[in-house]
Amino acid sequence: MAISTVEQVAQAIQTAIAATVVIPGSSPAVKISATDYLADNFTVPCVLVAENGRPDVHATMGGGSIYEFLLWLILPRAADRAQLQALELYASPTGTSSIQAALEADQSLGGVCAAGIITKVAGPQNVTMNGTPYIARAFTYQCLASS
């Protein structure tokens, strides 16, 4: 049986986030948008999924591949304090806005991973994309792809 591809895992990450992560303060509850690639055009708030390499290509000894992804949470710059509070809710290990909870509720991501976890959450940072300023936070996600 073939090992899950980077593209299959990225799509599963995007699906899990878009299906479960709720934008803080939205009423009725609105789910965050997500892409399985670094999109040029997007609507904030959103999560952009990007492959971050393979940390140890020989670690699994033929039992699969370890993939690492950066999940870029992008929020608008307006209302800085409110956006920083939202960043904290997205980074929380639990709750309806938690990216970690969305991905670790089913560590197999529908069968494409043997196991997967968030290994790091970076601090907030200012970024500019296509000439527009945003506030962002990167989540590092690692998984052992299923074979």
Side-chain angles (χ1 to χ4, degrees), residues 9 60 63-67 107 112-117 142-147:
V9 176
T60 58
S65 288
I66 297 174
Y67 297 145
Q107 288 194 3
V112 299
C113 297
I117 59 169
Q142 281 190 356
C143 76
L144 173 62
S146 293
S147 55

Side-chain angles (χ1 to χ4, degrees), residues 21-94:
V21 176
V22 174
I23 297 170
S26 62
S27 181
V30 176
K31 304 288 179 23
I32 196 167
S33 66
T35 68
D36 57 358
Y37 61 98
L38 287 176
D40 290 331
N41 297 306
F42 49 85
T43 302
V44 291
C46 69
V47 176
L48 308 178
V49 178
E51 181 190 7
N52 197 37
R54 298 185 189 164
D56 192 347
V57 295
H58 297 292
T60 58
M61 302 301 288
S65 288
I66 297 174
Y67 297 145
E68 184 172 278
F69 294 86
L70 283 180
L71 315 176
W72 287 99
L73 172 63
I74 312 292
L75 302 180
R77 254 329 275 174
D80 291 349
R81 187 172 303 277
Q83 296 306 349
L84 288 171
Q85 290 171 342
L87 282 174
E88 293 304 318
L89 291 172
Y90 287 118
S92 174
T94 61

